[in-house]
Amino acid sequence: MNRYTVAVLVRNQFGVLNRVTSMFRRRQFNISALTVSETETSELSRITVIFSGEETNKQQLINQLYKLPDVVSIQEFNADNSISCELLLIKMKNDTATRGEILSAADAFGAVTVDYSKDSLMLRLADSSRRIDDFINLMRDYTILEICRTGSISLEKGSTTIRQIINL
Amino acid sequence: MRPAHHPLSEKGVRDMLLSGADILVRTLIEQGCDTVFGYPGGQILNVYDSLYKYQSEIRHVLTAHEQGAAHAADGYARTTGKVGVVISTSGPGATNLVTGIATAYLDSIPLVAICGNVPTGQIGSDSFQEIDITGITLPITKHNYFVSSVEDLADTIREAFSLASSGRPGPVLIDVPKDVQIMQCEYTPAPPAQPQPPCAAKQVRIEEAARHINEAKRPYVYFGGGVITAGAQQETLALAETIDAPIGCSFMGLSGVPTEHPRFLGMQGMHGHYASSMAMHHADLIISLGVRFNDRVTGNRAKFATGAKIIHIDVDGSELGKTVTEVCSLRGDVKLTLQKLLELVQQNEKPEWAKQVEEFRAQEKASLDMREGMTPRNIICALNRHLLENTAVCTDVGQHQMWAAQNAVFRKPRRFVSSGGLGTMGFGLGAAIGAAFGTKERSVLITGDGSFGMCLNELATAVTNGVPVVILIMNNGVLGMVRQWQTLFFDKHYSNTTLNRKTDFAALAHAFGAEGCAVSTPQQLEQALSEAFCCNGPYVIDCAIDKDEFVLPMLPPGGSMDDIIVKVGD
């Protein structure tokens, strides 16, 4: 099993996310992270999907995705050729015993305190998925109240863009 | 681009304010559609009112059930190569299309399905006869549309026609809410939408393929439905002639080249011809054209054609390398790619290979079922004597389908109409009606008593419309194909495959207003066929056969050529 990060540039229409994710379901891929947003033009949306599977199945999936009329182009990323980033919001229990350690850890990771109350504090961290994993693992020593992560987004290094990729 | 006699041109109608329903019907006419199949209902009433208005320009065939309408549109598309159109209402009307749409999807048949739906304001409120048909048909259509504005309607239909017939064809569904049918907007006629222009595979790949072909000692041409879709019959035959190769086909390829062509060995696969299966097994190069190497063809993929290199040409890139390992994959239109390939392949004779293939043929001939009487083979052969070049032979699904595939004689492409991919029992009668409209000739339905029980309501459609269909029921009183598997693989536990019905099919035909008779001897069959092929409407021949006839040869599921069953002991 390999882990893949794929960006799918699609026409920005209702139901398009369903069409794309349905293809993953039909080929029995489990999506581990998914982000969707508008792009530099409102006519196009970008879906970034992280999933695990076999190489041949992944290629078959990409081939099938290209057959959807709403799909404009597809780009696959690896760590060498791309920059990836994920956003974390984490709500911690706030008490005098642990507050100092939590805030120094946050400081070390570059997480920002975005909400603070007597009983809780919320931290925000934008970083690679691995660094976010590490930070969450560190926080497990204290009391985590709630976690929300966005799933990774990726762009290729250099001046090439996904829109320059020609179908197959 | 429109012919001068086009009614819109004559009336000089341009940019006029029309209702969505009128726009829908006029766009169908504009797209060259002259026959649609369907069934009315509440949320599609406006469209039916427009069909009434434009009945001199477009014919609507009312079926007994929406599924029959979908299969009829499919049969029409298969025999004409045009886009078939089916219309239904919302809710159950739309869900009744699902099996028909899936059948077309699996066999790559161009179909446009149009459904009504509740008004846009009521969508999502579980209104009466509301169903999310675009959601339901997502995995069985090339694409589908929910039309939320009347301004989008005409262009959506045009896009659907283009998409359905482009590249690898397939069904497209358009969901039209009632208020969109009522609302008005300007309608500007447009020429028929064209499919995306086909293109050949990359030249470098064609050259690579030519090198493999020129080196091959035992080449084998294996084609499928893609050759029929691309209209590549002549090129396929020319390739085989040039390189002195035998030809075989997948089930979906049947009728793609004439059955009696000297190079043609027959169908491949689970119930394929012995000679073609052996030739494929012993080939050193398999040139595959418009096929998808379905499990019914390959059997055990690990043991499939281990001694051969595979060249694969298909218009759908996702089929290349999907199930088998290919030495050379070419994505492109089969016809155009073959034309370029033909310029590069060397003409030569391969007498040793030809001799070996002749031996396979001889072995097949020796193992043929030569019994006299009402054997499946004799029945199909009796039918063959009545078939004209243009007769479409349609089937349902089961043993009769395989007997037809093995023994029916086709002289022209698009004259075998059968559900290959989905294997839809109940496909046949609707499809045969559509095929009769498509060919403007009498069609033939070969069916079984099981399958016929699933679609016989469409007898009413055939009678009402005076559609000449010869319906040959190979009646063994059992679900024969399942029974065959139970005999071979389930210790003869005939669980729920013995029908034990008391249906008198001849009387049933009469009750529907059709002709019909029962036969049990070759003489009676011949007499019945002679009458049936003169009849102006549907004619049902209830043909009794033994319940333990087998479809042979048989490659057991997941097996290889070593496991082929050619004879079943008592």
Side-chain angles (χ1 to χ4, degrees):
Chain A
M1 294 275 267
N2 301 307
R3 198 172 164 83
Y4 301 102
T5 303
V6 170
V8 188
L9 194 67
V10 296
R11 286 199 273 172
N12 186 8
Q13 293 179 5
F14 76 85
V16 67
L17 177 64
N18 190 7
R19 291 180 198 278
V20 170
T21 53
S22 167
M23 198 61 86
F24 284 80
R25 179 186 61 74
R26 281 148 68 186
R27 309 274 155 186
Q28 303 199 328
F29 280 100
N30 187 21
I31 295 174
S32 49
L34 177 84
T35 64
V36 194
S37 63
E38 281 195 3
T39 58
E40 58 277 10
T41 146
S42 61
E43 282 135 40
L44 298 175
S45 286
R46 185 182 180 109
I47 302 173
T48 308
V49 194
I50 299 170
F51 60 97
S52 301
E54 301 299 336
E55 175 67 24
T56 50
N57 294 340
K58 183 237 9 182
Q59 197 50 52
Q60 179 60 210
L61 176 82
I62 290 177
N63 291 345
Q64 295 291 344
L65 282 174
Y66 263 123
K67 285 162 69 174
L68 296 177
D70 284 339
V71 169
V72 177
S73 59
I74 299 172
Q75 189 174 23
E76 197 186 333
F77 298 101
N78 59 52
D80 297 336
N81 73 359
S82 63
I83 301 294
S84 295
C85 182
E86 186 176 353
L87 186 64
L88 166 78
L89 288 176
I90 184 165
K91 194 184 285 182
M92 303 298 299
K93 188 177 174 202
N94 189 1
D95 57 44
T96 47
T98 58
R99 181 185 306 143
E101 288 181 31
I102 291 174
L103 290 176
S104 5
D107 197 37
F109 272 80
V112 180
T113 309
V114 287
D115 183 54
Y116 192 99
S117 72
K118 198 156 71 66
D119 304 323
S120 73
L121 59 90
M122 195 194 300
L123 303 168
R124 182 183 69 205
L125 175 62
D127 212 323
S128 70
S129 298
R130 166 154 308 177
R131 288 265 298 168
I132 286 178
D133 288 344
D134 291 345
F135 184 66
I136 292 172
N137 281 334
L138 201 55
M139 288 298 107
R140 290 196 198 282
D141 287 348
Y142 317 104
T143 308
I144 298 171
L145 297 176
E146 202 172 4
I147 284 179
C148 183
R149 316 173 54 155
T150 58
S152 189
I153 53 171
S154 301
L155 283 182
E156 192 181 273
K157 292 177 189 170
S159 61
T160 316
T161 71
I162 188 170
R163 294 172 74 179
Q164 292 167 335
I165 295 173
I166 310 294
N167 279 11
L168 289 178
Chain B
M1 293 183 74
R2 193 180 307 113
H5 66 270
H6 194 282
L8 295 182
S9 314
E10 278 173 24
K11 289 173 195 159
V13 180
R14 286 288 182 278
D15 292 278
M16 60 185 303
L17 207 57
L18 291 180
S19 71
D22 281 351
I23 290 173
L24 190 153
V25 174
R26 295 189 82 136
T27 311
L28 289 178
I29 297 167
E30 151 207 305
Q31 293 302 306
C33 171
D34 54 14
T35 307
V36 298
F37 302 85
Y39 204 100
Q43 305 300 346
I44 195 77
L45 262 174
N46 297 75
V47 169
Y48 273 82
D49 194 52
S50 300
L51 284 167
Y52 181 83
K53 196 189 292 182
Y54 295 112
Q55 58 185 292
S56 64
E57 294 166 57
I58 187 164
R59 176 175 193 173
H60 177 274
V61 180
L62 174 67
T63 57
H65 189 283
E66 287 90 350
Q67 185 179 340
H71 293 325
D74 179 317
Y76 181 84
R78 286 184 205 238
T79 48
T80 59
K82 289 168 66 177
V83 176
V85 178
V86 59
I87 301 177
S88 82
T89 190
S90 63
T95 55
N96 279 344
L97 297 179
V98 167
T99 302
I101 294 171
T103 304
Y105 184 71
L106 267 290
D107 287 347
S108 309
I109 304 303
L111 200 71
V112 168
I114 296 168
C115 312
N117 210 333
V118 300
T120 42
Q122 289 178 35
I123 291 282
S125 63
D126 301 323
S127 316
F128 177 65
Q129 293 195 333
E130 180 196 348
I131 199 75
D132 171 20
I133 195 64
T134 49
I136 288 173
T137 56
L138 193 67
I140 53 167
T141 50
K142 274 185 93 172
H143 195 52
N144 60 28
Y145 302 89
F146 179 87
V147 184
S148 49
S149 147
V150 69
E151 281 78 19
D152 298 335
L153 185 57
D155 280 344
T156 300
I157 295 168
R158 291 166 189 148
E159 197 175 298
F161 268 76
S162 169
L163 200 55
S165 53
S166 291
R168 178 178 181 172
V172 178
L173 178 134
I174 309 172
D175 196 12
V176 190
K178 187 169 176 96
D179 55 327
V180 172
Q181 299 168 37
I182 295 168
M183 280 186 292
Q184 293 190 322
C185 84
E186 295 285 330
Y187 166 70
T188 312
Q194 297 301 316
Q196 285 160 12
C199 52
K202 285 184 185 148
Q203 187 63 24
V204 49
R205 289 293 171 88
I206 295 175
E207 285 165 13
E208 196 185 327
R211 270 199 303 280
H212 287 293
I213 292 171
N214 290 336
E215 283 166 14
K217 294 192 167 54
R218 298 183 307 281
Y220 183 73
V221 174
Y222 166 51
F223 74 93
V227 161
I228 296 176
T229 304
Q233 178 191 33
Q234 293 313 322
E235 290 77 7
T236 302
L237 290 171
L239 176 68
E241 288 295 342
T242 309
I243 63 173
D244 196 13
I247 309 174
C249 71
S250 70
F251 178 82
M252 289 306 298
L254 283 169
S255 84
V257 307
T259 310
E260 287 168 334
H261 190 281
R263 292 198 173 272
F264 185 62
L265 299 179
M267 175 178 75
Q268 265 1 112
M270 181 173 275
H271 296 297
H273 283 258
Y274 178 81
S276 61
S277 300
M278 290 300 280
M280 192 187 228
H281 191 61
H282 286 87
D284 68 348
L285 180 71
I286 299 170
I287 306 158
S288 19
L289 313 171
V291 294
R292 58 191 179 92
F293 292 103
N294 180 260
D295 58 280
R296 282 292 186 268
V297 164
T298 61
N300 183 344
R301 280 172 189 154
K303 290 185 184 170
F304 174 71
T306 42
K309 292 192 276 191
I310 296 175
I311 293 174
H312 191 179
I313 306 177
D314 202 286
V315 72
D316 179 358
S318 70
E319 287 301 340
L320 303 173
K322 188 174 89 172
T323 58
V324 295
T325 309
E326 295 155 7
V327 67
C328 183
S329 307
L330 301 93
R331 183 170 80 107
D333 178 77
V334 175
K335 186 184 178 84
L336 297 181
T337 304
L338 279 180
Q339 284 172 351
K340 291 195 166 185
L341 186 60
L342 280 166
E343 293 168 9
L344 301 173
V345 294
Q346 292 155 6
Q347 174 147 22
N348 56 27
E349 287 181 6
K350 301 181 173 66
E352 274 185 41
W353 176 225
K355 188 164 161 270
Q356 201 178 350
V357 170
E358 277 318 304
E359 282 165 17
F360 297 144
R361 267 190 204 274
Q363 286 162 9
E364 173 174 294
K365 211 170 176 185
S367 69
L368 269 186
D369 177 5
M370 298 305 283
R371 289 172 296 156
E372 295 194 347
M374 296 289 270
T375 64
R377 183 165 178 270
N378 290 343
I379 292 167
I380 306 288
C381 289
L383 180 70
N384 279 337
R385 291 191 283 274
H386 293 267
L387 300 179
L388 305 174
E389 189 190 29
N390 205 24
T391 309
V393 175
C394 312
T395 80
D396 269 300
V397 170
Q399 285 185 312
H400 70 269
Q401 179 188 29
M402 292 301 129
W403 288 322
Q406 291 173 337
N407 298 300
V409 174
F410 307 105
R411 301 187 180 91
K412 200 174 152 179
R414 300 192 172 279
R415 290 299 174 264
F416 183 56
V417 176
S418 189
S419 168
L422 194 65
T424 308
M425 286 174 75
F427 169 78
L429 188 49
I433 291 168
F437 277 101
T439 58
K440 299 186 169 65
E441 298 263 0
R442 179 188 315 282
S443 62
V444 169
L445 169 64
I446 301 171
T447 183
D449 48 321
S451 283
F452 191 59
M454 289 199 185
C455 61
L456 56 81
N457 52 358
E458 297 303 342
L459 257 182
T461 310
V463 169
T464 308
N465 292 281
V467 182
V469 190
V470 176
I471 301 166
L472 180 69
I473 307 174
M474 300 181 80
N475 187 352
N476 54 8
V478 296
L479 301 177
M481 186 58 96
V482 185
R483 183 183 171 90
Q484 176 168 340
W485 284 51
Q486 288 171 334
T487 304
L488 294 172
F489 312 123
F490 289 89
D491 294 330
K492 301 189 180 180
H493 296 162
Y494 297 121
S495 172
N496 291 280
T497 50
T498 308
L499 294 176
N500 255 338
R501 291 176 184 154
K502 306 292 177 227
T503 314
D504 177 342
F505 286 112
L508 180 102
H510 294 141
F512 271 101
E515 297 294 324
C517 67
V519 300
S520 53
T521 67
Q523 295 72 26
Q524 288 172 346
L525 175 64
E526 189 50 45
Q527 173 71 25
L529 283 169
S530 301
E531 281 175 28
F533 276 85
C534 299
C535 183
N536 287 326
Y539 192 110
V540 175
I541 303 172
D542 179 3
C543 185
I545 63 166
D546 188 84
K547 67 181 183 301
D548 283 312
E549 291 288 351
F550 279 85
V551 180
L552 294 173
M554 180 178 192
L555 201 60
S560 70
M561 275 307 289
D562 304 327
D563 309 314
I564 196 163
I565 303 169
V566 288
K567 203 169 181 179
V568 175
D570 295 313

